Amino acid sequence: MTERAAVKAALKTQAVETPSWAYGNSGTRFKVFAQQGVPRDPREKLDDAAKVHEFTGVAPTVALHIPWDTVDDYAALARHAEDRGLRLGAINSNTFQDDDYRLGSVCHPDAPVRRKAVDHLLECVDIMDATGSKDLKLWFADGTNYPGQDDIRARQDRLAEALAEVYERLGDDQRMLLEYKLFEPAFYTTDVPDWGTAYAHCLRLGPKARVVVDTGHHAPGTNIEFIVATLLREGRLGGFDFNSRFYADDDLMVGAADPFQLFRIMYEVVRGGGMSGGVAFMLDQCHNVESKIPAIVRSVMNVQEATAKALSVDRDALGAAQREGDVLGANAVLMDAFNTDVRPLLREVREEMGLDPDPMGAYARSGWAEKIVAERVGGRQAGWGA
């Protein structure tokens, strides 16, 4: 197989999971701008996700968020997804919106609140059983705002106890993916603030616990590709929440702020064997002013382009330059790959997959946007909290 053929083969097997909540209304702390045609329930979210997969060919799974995507019959929801050529992906818990969680959830000082939070996580595993989902994704807003507000070490003990109970409930083929975030909404201490804290808890739990890297959850200047390389080396990288940031957790479209960073991350994924399975590539974005479906299509394409460039790195030449201590030569190998226009290659890949080579144009011509605006009238649009 030629190098070009190998790159194309790898791109054809890539899968990017889209989040159900990205199809609904979202916004800033100040305003949620509603759009016409936004889904009103989880089934309509899946209908939109099916269009993303139809035109990209690499978005076969959809992550759910509980209770935002609560339904009476999860097995029926899974069948609805299958009827549209999709599968249900990660189940995301929500322990940050109830009034009870003002001082935390699994780390809360009061045992009854912790019990409520853990019961919700166990409910999410029940939903995994019903939907066939393999990953439970956990992000905790837990933390403190003031020195002395709570015992920092005791909160870590509570977190470990809660995670251990949920871990024991997982099936043999299910995983726990633990996400971290530098700050917000807790501003003095955050209970899972970085990859080291998440990694330490995962090590204690066992092999079914892995770390999720949200690309927007780091301090400015953080070398995310180092984190990715290290977690891959340790076999503990569970997946990504892809988005982009200028300042903090902006949740902009992946690759929008720093496409070179996304390329560097994807090179470490390729270098560390992350393309061969076990690493979940998921978008986690808020499309506040742009149209939902086209934004998600474009985001999937951005991941594809960064991956194609990463796969195109001449690793033999790079390794030779590194062994010889040729600093500029090694850097040039990476820069040559990054500066390669991979769009013609991806057009070929799509045509060989029986897809329109222009996903954005194909969606615009499909009439789906006009159809959902005309048909989704009345009811309550989905959005944050629904």
mmCIF file of all heavy atoms in Angstrom, residues 58-80:
data_model
loop_
_atom_site.group_PDB
_atom_site.id
_atom_site.type_symbol
_atom_site.label_atom_id
_atom_site.label_comp_id
_atom_site.label_asym_id
_atom_site.label_seq_id
_atom_site.Cartn_x
_atom_site.Cartn_y
_atom_site.Cartn_z
ATOM 1 N N VAL A 58 -18.343 10.342 8.580
ATOM 2 C CA VAL A 58 -17.467 9.946 9.687
ATOM 3 C C VAL A 58 -18.012 10.393 11.039
ATOM 4 O O VAL A 58 -17.259 10.572 11.997
ATOM 5 C CB VAL A 58 -16.034 10.500 9.495
ATOM 6 C CG1 VAL A 58 -15.381 9.877 8.275
ATOM 7 C CG2 VAL A 58 -16.047 12.020 9.399
ATOM 8 N N ALA A 59 -19.319 10.563 11.146
ATOM 9 C CA ALA A 59 -19.932 10.986 12.412
ATOM 10 C C ALA A 59 -21.048 10.024 12.795
ATOM 11 O O ALA A 59 -22.221 10.410 12.891
ATOM 12 C CB ALA A 59 -20.457 12.415 12.295
ATOM 13 N N PRO A 60 -20.733 8.750 13.057
ATOM 14 C CA PRO A 60 -21.760 7.726 13.225
ATOM 15 C C PRO A 60 -22.373 7.632 14.613
ATOM 16 O O PRO A 60 -23.335 6.887 14.804
ATOM 17 C CB PRO A 60 -21.009 6.437 12.894
ATOM 18 C CG PRO A 60 -19.604 6.715 13.370
ATOM 19 C CD PRO A 60 -19.363 8.176 13.078
ATOM 20 N N THR A 61 -21.828 8.361 15.601
ATOM 21 C CA THR A 61 -22.344 8.234 16.966
ATOM 22 C C THR A 61 -22.700 9.604 17.521
ATOM 23 O O THR A 61 -22.138 10.630 17.126
ATOM 24 C CB THR A 61 -21.328 7.552 17.898
ATOM 25 O OG1 THR A 61 -20.115 8.328 17.933
ATOM 26 C CG2 THR A 61 -21.019 6.144 17.438
ATOM 27 N N VAL A 62 -23.640 9.581 18.483
ATOM 28 C CA VAL A 62 -24.112 10.814 19.110
ATOM 29 C C VAL A 62 -24.070 10.629 20.619
ATOM 30 O O VAL A 62 -24.614 9.657 21.155
ATOM 31 C CB VAL A 62 -25.548 11.160 18.659
ATOM 32 C CG1 VAL A 62 -26.007 12.464 19.302
ATOM 33 C CG2 VAL A 62 -25.630 11.259 17.147
ATOM 34 N N ALA A 63 -23.427 11.563 21.305
ATOM 35 C CA ALA A 63 -23.376 11.535 22.768
ATOM 36 C C ALA A 63 -24.659 12.127 23.342
ATOM 37 O O ALA A 63 -25.198 13.102 22.803
ATOM 38 C CB ALA A 63 -22.180 12.336 23.269
ATOM 39 N N LEU A 64 -25.136 11.539 24.416
ATOM 40 C CA LEU A 64 -26.313 12.047 25.113
ATOM 41 C C LEU A 64 -25.897 12.721 26.412
ATOM 42 O O LEU A 64 -24.851 12.411 26.982
ATOM 43 C CB LEU A 64 -27.286 10.906 25.438
ATOM 44 C CG LEU A 64 -27.867 10.112 24.271
ATOM 45 C CD1 LEU A 64 -28.879 9.099 24.793
ATOM 46 C CD2 LEU A 64 -28.494 11.023 23.234
ATOM 47 N N HIS A 65 -26.747 13.630 26.882
ATOM 48 C CA HIS A 65 -26.524 14.339 28.139
ATOM 49 C C HIS A 65 -27.779 14.153 28.999
ATOM 50 O O HIS A 65 -28.875 14.476 28.562
ATOM 51 C CB HIS A 65 -26.289 15.827 27.869
ATOM 52 C CG HIS A 65 -25.471 16.516 28.912
ATOM 53 N ND1 HIS A 65 -25.877 16.657 30.221
ATOM 54 C CD2 HIS A 65 -24.263 17.122 28.837
ATOM 55 C CE1 HIS A 65 -24.957 17.323 30.897
ATOM 56 N NE2 HIS A 65 -23.957 17.616 30.087
ATOM 57 N N ILE A 66 -27.587 13.599 30.181
ATOM 58 C CA ILE A 66 -28.712 13.308 31.063
ATOM 59 C C ILE A 66 -28.686 14.286 32.242
ATOM 60 O O ILE A 66 -27.651 14.426 32.884
ATOM 61 C CB ILE A 66 -28.640 11.855 31.583
ATOM 62 C CG1 ILE A 66 -28.501 10.868 30.422
ATOM 63 C CG2 ILE A 66 -29.865 11.516 32.430
ATOM 64 C CD1 ILE A 66 -29.623 10.897 29.422
ATOM 65 N N PRO A 67 -29.777 15.003 32.508
ATOM 66 C CA PRO A 67 -31.162 14.760 32.070
ATOM 67 C C PRO A 67 -31.613 15.538 30.838
ATOM 68 O O PRO A 67 -32.798 15.492 30.514
ATOM 69 C CB PRO A 67 -31.971 15.208 33.290
ATOM 70 C CG PRO A 67 -31.176 16.351 33.835
ATOM 71 C CD PRO A 67 -29.737 15.982 33.625
ATOM 72 N N TRP A 68 -30.718 16.242 30.146
ATOM 73 C CA TRP A 68 -31.162 17.007 28.982
ATOM 74 C C TRP A 68 -31.819 16.122 27.927
ATOM 75 O O TRP A 68 -32.698 16.582 27.202
ATOM 76 C CB TRP A 68 -29.987 17.750 28.362
ATOM 77 C CG TRP A 68 -29.335 18.762 29.252
ATOM 78 C CD1 TRP A 68 -29.805 19.226 30.462
ATOM 79 C CD2 TRP A 68 -28.099 19.436 29.022
ATOM 80 N NE1 TRP A 68 -28.927 20.147 31.000
ATOM 81 C CE2 TRP A 68 -27.867 20.303 30.129
ATOM 82 C CE3 TRP A 68 -27.158 19.403 27.999
ATOM 83 C CZ2 TRP A 68 -26.734 21.108 30.222
ATOM 84 C CZ3 TRP A 68 -26.033 20.209 28.090
ATOM 85 C CH2 TRP A 68 -25.834 21.047 29.185
ATOM 86 N N ASP A 69 -31.370 14.870 27.834
ATOM 87 C CA ASP A 69 -31.894 13.951 26.813
ATOM 88 C C ASP A 69 -32.725 12.829 27.425
ATOM 89 O O ASP A 69 -32.786 11.717 26.883
ATOM 90 C CB ASP A 69 -30.735 13.363 25.998
ATOM 91 C CG ASP A 69 -30.029 14.412 25.162
ATOM 92 O OD1 ASP A 69 -30.733 15.231 24.539
ATOM 93 O OD2 ASP A 69 -28.784 14.425 25.138
ATOM 94 N N THR A 70 -33.368 13.103 28.533
ATOM 95 C CA THR A 70 -34.184 12.090 29.192
ATOM 96 C C THR A 70 -35.379 11.696 28.323
ATOM 97 O O THR A 70 -36.070 12.559 27.763
ATOM 98 C CB THR A 70 -34.691 12.604 30.549
ATOM 99 O OG1 THR A 70 -33.561 12.844 31.402
ATOM 100 C CG2 THR A 70 -35.617 11.598 31.214
ATOM 101 N N VAL A 71 -35.613 10.390 28.204
ATOM 102 C CA VAL A 71 -36.794 9.853 27.513
ATOM 103 C C VAL A 71 -37.351 8.708 28.348
ATOM 104 O O VAL A 71 -36.684 8.199 29.251
ATOM 105 C CB VAL A 71 -36.447 9.343 26.087
ATOM 106 C CG1 VAL A 71 -36.026 10.494 25.179
ATOM 107 C CG2 VAL A 71 -35.361 8.270 26.146
ATOM 108 N N ASP A 72 -38.564 8.308 28.027
ATOM 109 C CA ASP A 72 -39.190 7.213 28.767
ATOM 110 C C ASP A 72 -38.599 5.860 28.395
ATOM 111 O O ASP A 72 -38.567 4.939 29.221
ATOM 112 C CB ASP A 72 -40.700 7.203 28.517
ATOM 113 C CG ASP A 72 -41.395 8.416 29.113
ATOM 114 O OD1 ASP A 72 -40.881 8.956 30.117
ATOM 115 O OD2 ASP A 72 -42.439 8.835 28.566
ATOM 116 N N ASP A 73 -38.137 5.728 27.141
ATOM 117 C CA ASP A 73 -37.683 4.430 26.638
ATOM 118 C C ASP A 73 -36.359 4.631 25.902
ATOM 119 O O ASP A 73 -36.330 5.050 24.743
ATOM 120 C CB ASP A 73 -38.743 3.840 25.701
ATOM 121 C CG ASP A 73 -38.442 2.404 25.310
ATOM 122 O OD1 ASP A 73 -37.267 2.006 25.353
ATOM 123 O OD2 ASP A 73 -39.400 1.688 24.924
ATOM 124 N N TYR A 74 -35.259 4.323 26.577
ATOM 125 C CA TYR A 74 -33.945 4.533 25.973
ATOM 126 C C TYR A 74 -33.644 3.500 24.896
ATOM 127 O O TYR A 74 -32.920 3.797 23.932
ATOM 128 C CB TYR A 74 -32.865 4.533 27.050
ATOM 129 C CG TYR A 74 -32.921 5.771 27.914
ATOM 130 C CD1 TYR A 74 -33.532 5.750 29.169
ATOM 131 C CD2 TYR A 74 -32.393 6.976 27.462
ATOM 132 C CE1 TYR A 74 -33.601 6.892 29.953
ATOM 133 C CE2 TYR A 74 -32.462 8.120 28.243
ATOM 134 C CZ TYR A 74 -33.072 8.072 29.480
ATOM 135 O OH TYR A 74 -33.148 9.210 30.239
ATOM 136 N N ALA A 75 -34.154 2.304 25.041
ATOM 137 C CA ALA A 75 -33.961 1.312 23.993
ATOM 138 C C ALA A 75 -34.635 1.760 22.700
ATOM 139 O O ALA A 75 -34.099 1.578 21.600
ATOM 140 C CB ALA A 75 -34.508 -0.045 24.441
ATOM 141 N N ALA A 76 -35.809 2.389 22.835
ATOM 142 C CA ALA A 76 -36.493 2.913 21.656
ATOM 143 C C ALA A 76 -35.703 4.062 21.033
ATOM 144 O O ALA A 76 -35.653 4.201 19.809
ATOM 145 C CB ALA A 76 -37.904 3.380 22.037
ATOM 146 N N LEU A 77 -35.075 4.886 21.874
ATOM 147 C CA LEU A 77 -34.247 5.969 21.347
ATOM 148 C C LEU A 77 -33.048 5.399 20.584
ATOM 149 O O LEU A 77 -32.668 5.922 19.525
ATOM 150 C CB LEU A 77 -33.768 6.864 22.482
ATOM 151 C CG LEU A 77 -33.007 8.125 22.056
ATOM 152 C CD1 LEU A 77 -33.921 9.071 21.281
ATOM 153 C CD2 LEU A 77 -32.423 8.839 23.273
ATOM 154 N N ALA A 78 -32.473 4.322 21.099
ATOM 155 C CA ALA A 78 -31.363 3.673 20.400
ATOM 156 C C ALA A 78 -31.818 3.129 19.053
ATOM 157 O O ALA A 78 -31.091 3.212 18.056
ATOM 158 C CB ALA A 78 -30.784 2.553 21.261
ATOM 159 N N ARG A 79 -33.032 2.587 19.008
ATOM 160 C CA ARG A 79 -33.558 2.092 17.725
ATOM 161 C C ARG A 79 -33.805 3.249 16.761
ATOM 162 O O ARG A 79 -33.586 3.116 15.549
ATOM 163 C CB ARG A 79 -34.849 1.293 17.960
ATOM 164 C CG ARG A 79 -34.630 -0.038 18.673
ATOM 165 C CD ARG A 79 -35.876 -0.913 18.623
ATOM 166 N NE ARG A 79 -36.997 -0.322 19.352
ATOM 167 C CZ ARG A 79 -37.240 -0.508 20.634
ATOM 168 N NH1 ARG A 79 -36.430 -1.280 21.358
ATOM 169 N NH2 ARG A 79 -38.289 0.049 21.225
ATOM 170 N N HIS A 80 -34.259 4.376 17.281
ATOM 171 C CA HIS A 80 -34.460 5.563 16.445
ATOM 172 C C HIS A 80 -33.125 5.974 15.824
ATOM 173 O O HIS A 80 -33.070 6.334 14.630
ATOM 174 C CB HIS A 80 -35.038 6.703 17.290
ATOM 175 C CG HIS A 80 -35.358 7.939 16.517
ATOM 176 N ND1 HIS A 80 -36.569 8.121 15.880
ATOM 177 C CD2 HIS A 80 -34.626 9.061 16.259
ATOM 178 C CE1 HIS A 80 -36.571 9.302 15.271
ATOM 179 N NE2 HIS A 80 -35.402 9.892 15.490
#
